């Protein structure tokens, strides 16, 4: 049956997208390739649109595919691809399972008036601020970024903890299938917004289905405006509808108005539940651009007495509930069946084309063999007894390699936190206000928590918005995201007259080197032009509370001088056998 196929297809595709998108944000073992990650994020509306503006090119046209699909079929993006939308369906489905068990049967939805003032205002504010170059409201409201913040900030730690507990259990039996994942320090402030939004989104979905999608989400509102003109639209078939209200009671968008015999298609999220539940084929998915001319008159359908549970819906159905209906069915009419089959074929063809599109965008970019660095601090053997007194003087926050400049980064990062989840060293952490109020929650480089691996380009490969642009390994090796600063009055060599040199030992470019000091000791000296700002020195420096060596961000990234390669004293072996 067509509605069944539509609904089953929708459920399969949506579960695929939800599972894989959720996994992107918790995967610590780098299971997914960069090309797969890019394929999944390519079709996400806001990241793709922002990437198109920042980078341009075919690989950024996912948003256009979403617009075309909406123009053809309505908001199927909201029911199949958007992870936040599908999350709402899952939470309301789970809650429904339990309420059904407790109260036997409970339909929670009924038609509700649209909150147009709120939804168009939020869309307007988001669009205007974006047009003026600010992604602040996208950062707050874009469903993909919101989903990312929730999963990266709230679900990922739980996933890690479960993994570590499982690893402990396996270790106890001498099995080493799982391994411990190190969790870095976490700050609470960047988690407040995702936690509040998670409560809001799930709470609304339990009470009012897709109310969030139809009042708050700017993507939903924009696609709703487009879907008003869609080729295929869901509408009530006056002739077959008995006003039993089954459809309206199961519409999570609360957009089926039986009193006026209308469906507010701007709010319909294309779940096909109404078509599936209607036993009388009273809901059509019609081609409105090219209406079928040979549509046959419908055959008789036996009018059924509605469920006793539906009686409470009489107010919505009104007098129309008794309207006479011509009794016809396409099932029994060859002409109508042919028309229905052709509609089904073209719809399924369109749906298939839509989902094939995103996979074509995958880029084959993946550096191999990136391993998580061991916690090098474990190796440190410097005794520090005196607290440092001179604060680090950082002028600018540090944006990740590939982000070009703070301005570009702040203008293009929607704080989805995908890079935070993917960074193998965990140096990328969600910020609170380090990038300013409008850059709230945009990831920052936290060199007190970790350092940027010299031989890693993971974040540059997977950022879906172009805030972090692709870099080859050679480019990364010469990209200076910040420069090293040295405060010798904090350095233990000077304050405690003891040997150290951890910074020079861990600098991958030898931008820090040890030079003779006193009492046979050596003290650090910096060569800023060779520094790439990876933060290895700051991370390893043992002084507290302030580091003697630290990185100050570059407002605009520049090219560093190539690393210093020291010539080793090496004697050529004699060519001939010496005796
Ligand atoms: S309305 Fe927004 S949050 Fe809801 S499904 Fe659509 S894009 Fe996602
Ligand atoms: S920089 Fe990170 S948080 Fe910002 S858009 Fe890119 S992946 Fe998402
Ligand atoms: S390049 Fe640096 S910041 Fe980016 S993922 Fe690798 S280690 Fe993390």
């Amino acid at each position: 049956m067509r509605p069944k196929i539509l609904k089953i297809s929708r459920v399969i595709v949506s579960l695929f997208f939800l599972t894989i998108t959720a996994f992107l944000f918790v995967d610590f073992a780098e299971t997914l390739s960069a090309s797969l990650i890019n394929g999944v994020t390519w079709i996400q509306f806001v990241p793709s649109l922002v990437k198109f503006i920042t980078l341009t090119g075919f690989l950024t046209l996912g948003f256009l595919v979403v617009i075309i699909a909406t123009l053809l079929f309505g908001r199927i993006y909201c029911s199949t691809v958007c992870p936040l939308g599908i999350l709402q369906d899952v939470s309301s489905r789970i809650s429904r399972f339990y309420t059904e068990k407790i109260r036997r049967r409970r339909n929670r939805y009924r038609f509700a008036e649209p909150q147009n003032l709120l939804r168009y205002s939020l869309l307007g504010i988001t669009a205007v601020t974006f047009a003026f170059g600010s992604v602040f409201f996208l950062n707050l409201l874009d469903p993909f970024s919101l989903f990312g913040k929730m999963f990266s900030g709230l679900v990922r730690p739980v996933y890690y903890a479960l993994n570590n507990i499982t690893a402990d259990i396996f270790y106890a039996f001498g099995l080493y299938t799982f391994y411990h994942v190190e969790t870095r320090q976490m700050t609470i402030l960047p988690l407040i917004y995702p936690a509040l939004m998670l409560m809001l989104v799930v709470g609304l979905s339990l009470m009012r289905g897709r109310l969030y999608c139809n009042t708050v989400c700017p993507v939903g509102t924009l696609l709703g405006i487009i879907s008003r003109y869609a080729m295929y639209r869901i509408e009530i078939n006056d002739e077959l509808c008995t006003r039993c209200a089954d459809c309206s009671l199961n519409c999570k968008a609360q957009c089926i108005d039986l009193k006026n015999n209308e469906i507010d298609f701007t709010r319909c999220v294309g779940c096909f539940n109404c078509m599936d539940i209607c036993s009388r084929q009273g809901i059509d998915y019609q081609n409105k651009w090219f209406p079928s001319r040979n549509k046959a008159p419908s055959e008789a359908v036996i009018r059924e007495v509605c469920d006793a549970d539906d009686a409470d819906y009489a107010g919505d159905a009104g007098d129309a509930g008794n309207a006479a209906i011509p009794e016809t069915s396409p099932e029994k009419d060859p002409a109508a069946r042919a028309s229905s089959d052709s509609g089904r074929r073209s719809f399924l063809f369109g749906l298939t084309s839509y989902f094939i599109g995103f996979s074509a965008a995958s880029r084959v970019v993946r550096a191999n063999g990136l391993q998580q660095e061991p916690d090098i601090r474990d190796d440190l053997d410097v005794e520090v007894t005196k607290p440092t007194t001179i604060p680090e003087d950082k002028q600018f926050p540090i944006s990740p390699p590939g982000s070009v400049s703070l301005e570009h980064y702040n203008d293009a990062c929607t704080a989805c936190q995908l890079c935070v989840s993917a960074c193998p060293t965990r140096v990328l952490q969600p910020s609170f206000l380090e990038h300013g109020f409008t850059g709230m929650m945009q990831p920052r480089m936290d060199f007190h928590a970790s350092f940027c691996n010299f031989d890693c380009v993971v974040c540059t490969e997977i950022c879906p918005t172009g805030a972090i642009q692709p870099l080859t390994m050679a480019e990364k090796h010469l990209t200076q995201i910040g420069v090293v600063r040295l405060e010798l009055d904090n350095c233990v060599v000077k304050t405690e007259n003891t040997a150290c040199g951890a910074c020079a030992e861990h600098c991958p470019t030898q931008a820090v080197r040890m030079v003779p000091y006193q009492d046979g000791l050596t003290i650090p000296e910096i060569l800023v032009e060779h520094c790439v700002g990876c933060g290895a020195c700051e991370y390893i420096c043992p002084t507290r509370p302030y580091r003697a060596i630290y990185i100050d961000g570059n407002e605009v990234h520049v090219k560093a001088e190539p690393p210093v390669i020291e010539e080793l004293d090496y004697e050529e072996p004699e060519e001939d056998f010496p005796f």
Side-chain angles (χ1 to χ4, degrees), residues 409 413-419 443 463-465 467-468:
Y409 182 63
C413 171
T414 57
C416 70
Q417 316 286 355
L418 188 56
C419 56
C463 174
T465 67
I468 307 179

Side-chain angles (χ1 to χ4, degrees), residues 39-92:
V40 173
T41 56
W42 180 81
I43 199 74
Q44 296 296 340
F45 187 80
V46 166
S48 166
L49 178 63
V50 177
K51 194 168 194 169
F52 174 76
I53 290 167
T54 52
L55 288 181
T56 66
F58 170 74
L59 292 175
T60 62
L61 289 181
F63 79 97
L64 202 57
V65 174
V66 175
I67 289 177
I68 293 169
T70 309
L71 207 46
L72 294 178
F73 307 114
R75 286 168 60 182
I76 54 173
Y77 171 83
C78 297
S79 57
T80 53
V81 175
C82 172
L84 198 70
I86 306 162
L87 181 71
Q88 293 169 69
D89 290 350
V90 170
S91 76
S92 69

Side-chain angles (χ1 to χ4, degrees), residues 390-443:
I390 303 168
E392 297 155 21
D393 182 20
K394 298 189 179 190
Q395 301 295 315
F396 296 107
I398 304 148
S399 59
S403 59
V404 184
S405 66
L406 279 175
E407 188 184 357
H408 170 84
Y409 182 63
N410 294 149
D411 287 352
C413 171
T414 57
C416 70
Q417 316 286 355
L418 188 56
C419 56
V420 173
S421 296
C423 177
T425 67
R426 316 263 178 262
V427 66
L428 280 169
Q429 298 284 324
S431 68
F432 181 52
L433 293 175
E434 288 86 346
H435 282 287
F437 183 70
T438 53
M440 207 170 22
M441 294 171 290
Q442 287 175 340

Side-chain angles (χ1 to χ4, degrees), residues 295-330:
K295 193 168 189 281
S298 312
E299 287 184 11
V301 171
I302 299 166
R303 196 177 303 162
E304 295 171 21
V305 179
C306 301
D307 284 342
D309 280 6
D310 298 338
D312 70 340
Y313 196 76
D316 280 353
D319 294 335
N322 295 322
I325 50 166
E327 299 176 337
T328 54
S329 162

Side-chain angles (χ1 to χ4, degrees), residues 472-485:
T472 63
M473 197 63 82
E475 288 167 338
K476 160 85 190 286
H477 284 170
L478 294 179
T479 299
Q480 188 187 75
I481 59 177
V483 283
V484 61
R485 305 269 183 240

